[in-house]
Amino acid sequence: MASKVIHAFYNDDDILMLAVKKVKAAKHHIEEVYCPFPVHGLDKAMGLAPTRIAITAFIYGCIGITIATLMMNYIMIEDWPQDIGGKPSFSYLENMPAFVPIMFELTVFFAAHLMVITFYMRSKLWPFKQAENPDVRTTDDLFLMEIEIHDNEEELKSLLADTGAVEINISEK
């Protein structure tokens, strides 16, 4: 059985923020908010849990620096030692100052690329995936707040109208 949802459209991000706060204060659960651009503080106003992408970025950076260190030690010290610029290749620690740029670059490379892959997998964004946006106007200039209806349709309509919604629609989810 499909559930009914109410879509409230707003034309300003500040009005949207105030509306989210009023709806949360009235103890209604906001299913989703669709925005044409990121709105600072909206996640906190909606009560969403903080993201853990920074932790994964640190872990991916550690993987990158580890791979860089192991790769340079194997290539430049063990497998094919070369006398480059008068620097002997006796140990990794003697040559580490020359390896710092490579270590930095691979740390950033691994962190950035693996974070993007993690974000796409976590968000279930695959190539050729159809958009789940309920209204195409939210990619241009309108903000949409989606709230599920539980026998409180009139109450929600009046609350959303008081918050400054420019349009209120009811649809099946």
Side-chain angles (χ1 to χ4, degrees), residues 63-127:
I63 291 170
I65 199 165
T66 302
I67 288 176
T69 303
L70 293 173
M71 178 188 74
M72 288 181 300
N73 184 54
Y74 176 73
I75 292 171
M76 298 299 291
I77 306 301
E78 294 175 16
D79 185 43
W80 195 302
Q82 298 178 38
D83 186 2
I84 300 172
K87 296 179 184 173
S89 299
F90 297 130
S91 72
Y92 181 80
L93 290 176
E94 289 177 355
N95 293 307
M96 197 169 96
F99 296 154
V100 168
I102 299 167
M103 292 164 44
F104 173 77
E105 291 296 332
L106 282 178
T107 301
V108 172
F109 178 85
F110 271 77
H113 286 79
L114 292 175
M115 275 179 21
V116 168
I117 292 168
T118 301
F119 174 75
Y120 283 155
M121 289 174 60
R122 180 73 177 98
S123 302
K124 297 183 178 109
L125 292 174
W126 312 112

